[in-house]
């Protein structure tokens, strides 16, 4: 089973919303109205290292019931290849290793890094009593 995300790009900004999730979550995220519980810094990492770091950190954040993570990937301004990590991030968030954890994602507001960073809103972790 794979999750379906509605992904929209507008200039340098990007946003994604998992199927079945109320758009109000994305709207709050885009305005920076969700408290960031964790930051993941990807500057200086190669693509494979960055993908691994995102997977590990988001799983850990989910297990710790942290709802919003800020991923700082940069804009690729100093890279000959452009924004490699920024462009790869939506694909990582939609892959089987993470899609069950992610509700929405959106480019950050300027104070949190603007288009050089992305907010990721994680689902709530269900406890055994909630699953019954």
């Amino acid at each position: 089973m794979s999750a379906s995300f509605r992904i929209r790009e507008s200039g340098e900004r990007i946003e994604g919303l998992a199927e079945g999730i109320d758009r109000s979550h994305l709207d709050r995220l885009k305005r920076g109205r969700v408290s960031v519980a964790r930051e993941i810094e990807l500057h200086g990492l190669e693509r494979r290292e960055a993908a691994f770091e995102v997977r590990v950190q988001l799983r850990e954040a989910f297990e710790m019931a942290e709802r919003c993570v800020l991923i700082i990937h940069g804009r690729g301004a100093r890279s000959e290849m452009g924004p490699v990590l920024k462009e790869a991030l939506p694909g990582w968030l939609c892959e089987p290793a993470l899609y069950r954890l992610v509700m929405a994602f959106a480019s950050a507001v300027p104070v949190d890094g603007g288009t050089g960073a992305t907010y990721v809103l994680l689902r709530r972790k269900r406890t055994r009593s909630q699953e019954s």
Side-chain angles (χ1 to χ4, degrees):
M1 174 183 162
S2 71
S4 176
F5 281 83
R6 286 172 281 167
I7 298 174
R8 193 178 91 169
E9 294 182 48
S10 176
E12 286 190 58
R13 303 194 64 76
I14 190 161
E15 61 186 54
L17 183 66
E19 190 174 280
I21 301 298
D22 189 297
R23 179 153 180 90
S24 65
H25 292 292
L26 179 60
D27 293 339
R28 285 184 30 240
L29 200 61
K30 287 175 20 181
R31 291 192 304 270
R33 302 219 188 261
V34 180
S35 179
V36 173
R38 176 184 299 235
E39 291 184 8
I40 303 173
E41 171 64 64
L42 301 180
H43 282 111
L45 298 181
E46 293 194 14
R47 185 182 172 119
R48 273 181 49 190
E49 296 169 317
F52 178 80
E53 188 67 18
V54 167
R55 288 181 194 110
V56 168
Q57 290 280 340
L58 289 183
R59 279 194 216 111
E60 184 176 296
F62 176 77
E63 291 298 322
M64 301 293 291
E66 297 170 350
R67 294 298 308 280
C68 184
V69 176
L70 179 66
I71 299 177
I72 304 163
H73 44 67
R75 294 177 47 215
R78 288 183 239 144
S79 170
E80 292 176 15
M81 297 169 57
V84 174
L85 302 181
K86 176 183 177 175
E87 289 177 356
L89 183 62
W92 298 338
L93 298 176
C94 297
E95 68 185 19
L98 295 176
Y99 74 79
R100 288 186 178 108
L101 310 182
V102 177
M103 290 176 64
F105 55 90
S107 296
V109 296
V111 71
D112 285 332
T115 59
T118 300
Y119 299 119
V120 178
L121 185 62
L122 300 176
R123 297 175 187 268
R124 292 188 193 281
K125 183 178 178 187
R126 293 190 179 271
T127 63
R128 289 203 185 272
S129 62
Q130 290 173 321
E131 292 173 355
S132 305

